[in-house]
Amino acid sequence: QQQQQIIMPPLQLIYAAERKLVIRAARLAARLCEQVRQKQLQAITKSDHSPVTVADYGAQAIICREIQLLFPNDPIIGEEDAANLRTPAMADRLTEITRYVQNTIDDDDNNTTDKTDTDDATNTK
């Protein structure tokens, strides 16, 4: 009786799409956070009296967008609840966050083709 040997592809190939997504999302979110940090924008106080920044909302939006592009059927639970951003009093802040997110994504789309391999320090190619 012969045993069949199962040949598995290397782990990096199994999760290639996920790896690419994580690297891109982290790179974009970090870029947005740095842009916000340079502007030193004031934090918003949440209902529980803890602070949340434009960078918090923007980074979460970018990460959620990237996940939804690759896994459109997967639900996402984020840390920040954007319900208060939908109020008339927060319209300007929502516009500001949206502008940061759109500019970060547009800048990346216009300036790179695919930086996954060059940005990944663990790449062994």
Side-chain angles (χ1 to χ4, degrees), residues 30-88:
R31 189 175 299 145
L32 181 141
C33 289
E34 178 57 22
Q35 290 170 2
V36 171
R37 185 193 67 78
Q38 289 177 4
K39 297 287 186 191
Q40 298 182 356
L41 301 173
Q42 186 174 4
I44 301 164
T45 302
K46 296 190 287 188
S47 61
D48 67 357
H49 304 290
S50 64
V52 61
T53 66
V54 168
D56 293 325
Y57 283 121
Q60 180 171 295
I62 285 175
I63 292 167
C64 290
R65 176 189 181 270
E66 293 299 309
I67 292 170
Q68 283 299 121
L69 288 174
L70 191 59
F71 304 104
N73 298 320
D74 289 2
I76 299 172
I77 298 173
E79 178 181 0
E80 304 305 342
D81 180 3
N84 69 327
L85 291 175
R86 293 185 200 99
T87 64

Side-chain angles (χ1 to χ4, degrees), residues 31 35 98-109:
R31 189 175 299 145
Q35 290 170 2
T98 302
R99 183 177 41 84
Y100 272 103
V101 170
Q102 288 175 335
N103 289 344
T104 301
I105 291 167
D106 289 346
D107 287 350
D108 189 70
D109 290 345

